Amino acid sequence: MVAVREPVLKPVGITDLRPTQITVGMREVEGKRKGWREKNDKKAAQFLGKHMIPVILGPSDRLYIIDHHHLTRALHEEGVKDVLVAVVANLSMVDPGTFWRVLDNRRWMHPFDDKGRRRDYKDIPKSVRDLVDDPFRSLAGELRRAGGFAKDTTPFSEFLWADFLRRRIKRRLIERDFDRALITAMKFAKSQEAIYLPGWGGPASLD
């Protein structure tokens, strides 16, 4: 593996970028779309210049996103054709099987579906437009913003929270009454049950 961490100043087509996860929270995506629409042309250009998409250069010189999937999908939905990327590592010399194992080992991929089940890397969409909605990921994102847990550097920390909530809250509650689901999620987030999760900020145990 060759570490690069260099920006690609030539714009790259969003539809040419490959995801490294199966799902996103579409409510999160909609929030980013709204934020994008509020920017004028100058601020939009500045935003794209400051938010380069981190990618891995993989086999056949394809670019694989390892962060900002929600932003990339939002920009695609808003009609943005190209973005700037920052190449984090060059794995173009390895075969596809080895490539995905390296990504998995480095925690640069999250091959879990909207039911929290681990899938084969072949099930990961080939384009951001095919990413699947996971309402629990949206709930976890909103829970963090509401103070349910702190932002953490642990890879895919919000997906870990999403999976925690998935086992305690009905999906139909999120889909029918998101605000009520958030209140319920907050109670679980502050409980001792969540103590193992990144960014947990519940009360100290009395034991």
Side-chain angles (χ1 to χ4, degrees):
M1 180 179 65
V2 180
V4 182
R5 294 189 178 277
E6 292 182 354
V8 177
L9 298 181
K10 180 181 177 181
V12 175
I14 287 180
T15 56
D16 293 328
L17 299 175
R18 298 290 188 98
T20 55
Q21 62 193 49
I22 296 174
T23 67
V24 289
M26 287 306 297
R27 186 184 177 98
E28 296 272 283
V29 171
E30 290 303 316
K32 292 184 182 299
R33 290 184 66 181
K34 182 177 182 294
W36 174 257
R37 289 194 295 269
E38 292 173 351
K39 302 181 190 302
N40 58 34
D41 290 345
K42 181 178 180 180
K43 288 186 176 180
Q46 291 175 340
F47 179 86
L48 290 178
K50 293 179 180 178
H51 292 78
M52 289 183 289
I53 308 301
V55 298
I56 303 295
L57 182 62
S60 300
D61 289 334
R62 293 192 179 101
L63 295 172
Y64 292 80
I65 308 168
I66 58 171
D67 199 3
H68 299 326
H69 284 78
H70 290 81
L71 173 61
T72 308
R73 173 62 180 264
L75 293 173
H76 172 68
E77 295 289 343
E78 288 300 307
V80 177
K81 303 298 183 183
D82 305 300
V83 291
L84 298 178
V85 301
V87 178
V88 174
N90 183 352
L91 294 175
S92 61
M93 74 295 294
V94 302
D95 63 89
T98 301
F99 172 75
W100 287 107
R101 286 193 292 274
V102 172
L103 261 58
D104 203 359
N105 180 262
R106 295 296 300 271
R107 303 181 77 178
W108 281 337
M109 64 180 292
H110 189 76
F112 292 82
D113 64 18
D114 62 327
K115 293 181 175 58
R117 301 172 301 190
R118 185 180 176 92
R119 304 289 291 270
D120 190 273
Y121 73 84
K122 295 178 182 177
D123 294 318
I124 295 175
K126 300 294 192 297
S127 171
V128 294
R129 61 173 172 259
D130 298 320
L131 289 165
V132 178
D133 180 32
D134 181 359
F136 288 95
R137 174 59 182 81
S138 291
L139 183 61
E142 195 61 38
L143 178 63
R144 181 183 63 78
R145 284 188 291 274
F149 63 94
K151 190 174 181 63
D152 192 275
T153 58
T154 302
F156 303 106
S157 60
E158 289 178 341
F159 278 105
L160 295 176
W161 278 93
D163 198 48
F164 169 80
L165 298 172
R166 193 189 318 279
R167 299 193 299 273
R168 291 163 176 81
I169 298 174
K170 298 292 186 182
R171 179 171 179 149
R172 62 175 176 268
L173 176 61
I174 302 175
E175 295 170 340
R176 295 176 182 177
D177 192 340
F178 190 88
D179 290 340
R180 183 182 168 196
L182 181 59
I183 292 172
T184 304
M186 185 67 74
K187 293 177 181 178
F188 283 122
K190 298 302 182 182
S191 72
Q192 294 291 312
E193 294 179 65
I195 194 170
Y196 68 93
L197 288 166
W200 181 77
S205 172
L206 297 178
D207 295 341

